[in-house]
Amino acid sequence: MTGLFWWVIYPYIALTVLILGLLYRFAFRQTSWAAPSTEIFEKKWLQVGSTVFHYGIVFAFIGHVMGMLIPRSFYHALGVHDETYHLFAIVGGGLAGLMVVLGLVLLLIRKLLNRRVRAHAGFADYFAVILLLIVAANGTYMTIVYNTTVVAYEYRTTIGPWFRSLLAFRPDYHLMDTVPLIFQLHVLSAFLLFASIPFTKLVHMFSLPVRYPARAPQQYRSRVSYKRR
């Protein structure tokens, strides 16, 4: 029953909260969908922390897609051996994880030390950054430390198939029975993060400029022509 809850019921609850929360916020609170910039209060720390974090999170997302959604057999069909895959996963995933952690630490320090930034940060802001930091730090530790000092854990035979079974609505929670605890905690905290997205500024990650190509172009007038009129 414990496995059924944590690896079937809990993930579906988190994903349901994510989807319904996004729909509600989009329908009734569109003005709060974006993440207002605090660049006016402090610029240097924000530029470094935000840039490093966003590049890192993009690379980390790509790595998770390659590990969770693409079956191990596909890599074997391409001639990619397990040793080669794990080497690139450790190097690439480790670098991406370090970038995410460093960016989040800088952004968190900025919130704590800058008085004006701190005044505009609410509970949801700290919750999102700290939870993201926990998930990223855990994942970075697994990639760089656990996989190199304990064992290069083959999550593509357990966590990957389990996650795909969730998406196919045929959850096989027994795949998670033998997964190391540190990997289980990473997965559970990640689903908690998913559920919190509609209630934090992380919601802006779903803002895509889909209407940009069809919108009317902006018009600019030079100062000279304006003065002549």
Side-chain angles (χ1 to χ4, degrees):
M1 180 62 184
T2 302
L4 176 64
F5 175 80
W6 288 116
W7 310 121
V8 179
I9 299 175
Y10 170 75
Y12 280 136
I13 290 176
L15 294 176
T16 301
V17 172
L18 169 65
I19 295 172
L20 294 182
L22 289 174
L23 292 175
Y24 173 84
R25 190 162 179 175
F26 182 80
F28 299 103
R29 298 182 58 194
Q30 285 195 30
T31 56
S32 66
W33 188 275
S37 175
T38 56
E39 184 178 354
I40 190 174
F41 305 125
E42 194 282 329
K43 189 173 184 178
K44 293 182 179 180
W45 283 66
L46 177 63
Q47 285 184 331
V48 177
S50 179
T51 301
V52 173
F53 165 73
H54 281 94
Y55 273 107
I57 203 69
V58 169
F59 294 144
F61 174 78
I62 294 173
H64 279 72
V65 170
M66 294 176 64
M68 295 294 101
L69 297 183
I70 301 179
R72 184 187 182 191
S73 58
F74 179 81
Y75 292 100
H76 288 172
L78 294 179
V80 179
H81 300 290
D82 293 341
E83 294 78 8
T84 304
Y85 173 88
H86 284 294
L87 176 61
F88 278 95
I90 291 173
V91 175
L95 179 60
L98 289 175
M99 291 175 65
V100 173
V101 171
L102 175 60
L104 289 171
V105 169
L106 292 176
L107 293 175
L108 182 59
I109 293 176
R110 177 177 177 268
K111 289 181 184 293
L112 295 173
L113 298 185
N114 189 288
R115 178 176 55 83
R116 292 187 296 176
V117 176
R118 186 172 65 248
H120 286 78
F123 171 80
D125 299 315
Y126 289 106
F127 179 85
V129 173
I130 293 175
L131 183 55
L132 259 173
L133 185 56
I134 292 174
V135 175
N138 189 334
T140 305
Y141 174 83
M142 292 188 310
T143 302
I144 298 178
V145 180
Y146 189 93
N147 283 336
T148 58
T149 61
V150 181
V151 63
Y153 182 67
E154 187 53 86
Y155 51 83
R156 293 177 298 168
T157 61
T158 54
I159 304 177
W162 164 78
F163 185 71
R164 294 194 297 272
S165 74
L166 279 180
L167 298 182
F169 297 103
R170 292 179 296 180
D172 185 359
Y173 65 93
H174 292 295
L175 288 168
M176 297 296 291
D177 290 344
T178 59
V179 174
L181 178 61
I182 188 171
F183 285 82
Q184 293 180 342
L185 293 176
H186 182 69
V187 173
L188 294 175
S189 59
F191 273 98
L192 177 60
L193 179 64
F194 295 156
S196 70
I197 288 176
F199 312 101
T200 67
K201 292 179 181 178
L202 293 176
V203 71
H204 79 278
M205 66 185 290
F206 292 100
S207 299
L208 298 177
V210 293
R211 292 183 295 180
Y212 182 84
R215 72 170 178 80
Q218 293 179 331
Q219 298 180 353
Y220 295 91
R221 295 181 180 179
S222 66
R223 293 183 179 180
V224 177
S225 61
Y226 179 78
K227 288 180 179 179
R228 288 177 180 176
R229 292 185 61 186

